[in-house]
Amino acid sequence: MFRELTIAAAVVAAAIGLAPSAGADPTNDFSDEPGRYPTDVPGMVYDAALNGPCTNYQLFTFGRGRGGQPLVCHYIPNQWPPVYTGFWVASYPLHGQQDIGAPCPGPKSAAQSPDGRPMVCLGARGWQPGTLTGAGFFPG
């Protein structure tokens, strides 16, 4: 009986000693909590899910998915059968709130204007409101 209790106690002690710590890591400044990413924008949706439905496809279109993945709400017109919501799709890396025409870091970058419109970087033209798809740039 004593031997079984000793073995059980040793197994529990080993499991506790080898288990990863569940405490917060103070060096992780990018936890998956609202407002914790340096590039977050006003009106950000923090419970977005890739390919999930969304309704904010005109203003304040950005959200964060699992693990902080930047997402943007897109509406596809003329769908059949008709769908009256947008869908969360992957976004270019988000660079926070920017002014229209301000210099930008380069292509494949996204930002939000002060009035909530999505913007993309257009090189020498700077940040411009609109979206960039495989079919080209669509001014917003």
Side-chain angles (χ1 to χ4, degrees):
M1 174 77 177
F2 182 72
R3 185 173 24 176
E4 289 88 8
L5 287 175
T6 305
I7 292 172
V11 169
V12 169
I16 291 173
L18 296 175
S21 173
D25 180 6
T27 63
N28 183 3
D29 293 334
F30 305 105
S31 63
D32 200 17
E33 295 178 15
R36 297 292 292 208
Y37 294 84
T39 58
D40 284 352
V41 295
M44 193 110 176
V45 176
Y46 289 99
D47 60 351
L50 188 61
N51 298 324
C54 58
T55 56
N56 56 323
Y57 49 84
Q58 293 178 341
L59 294 176
F60 304 103
T61 61
F62 292 102
R64 291 238 182 241
R66 291 184 65 176
Q69 176 187 19
L71 302 174
V72 65
C73 182
H74 275 293
Y75 176 74
I76 303 169
N78 302 321
Q79 297 180 71
W80 189 256
V83 176
Y84 300 105
T85 65
F87 294 95
W88 289 109
V89 297
S91 170
Y92 290 138
L94 192 56
H95 291 272
Q97 183 171 304
Q98 304 288 334
D99 292 322
I100 296 172
C104 52
K108 297 188 179 179
S109 299
Q112 181 173 288
S113 69
D115 62 356
R117 294 183 288 171
M119 297 192 299
V120 293
C121 178
L122 293 181
R125 291 177 57 193
W127 291 110
Q128 296 297 316
T131 57
L132 187 63
T133 68
F137 176 70
F138 296 94

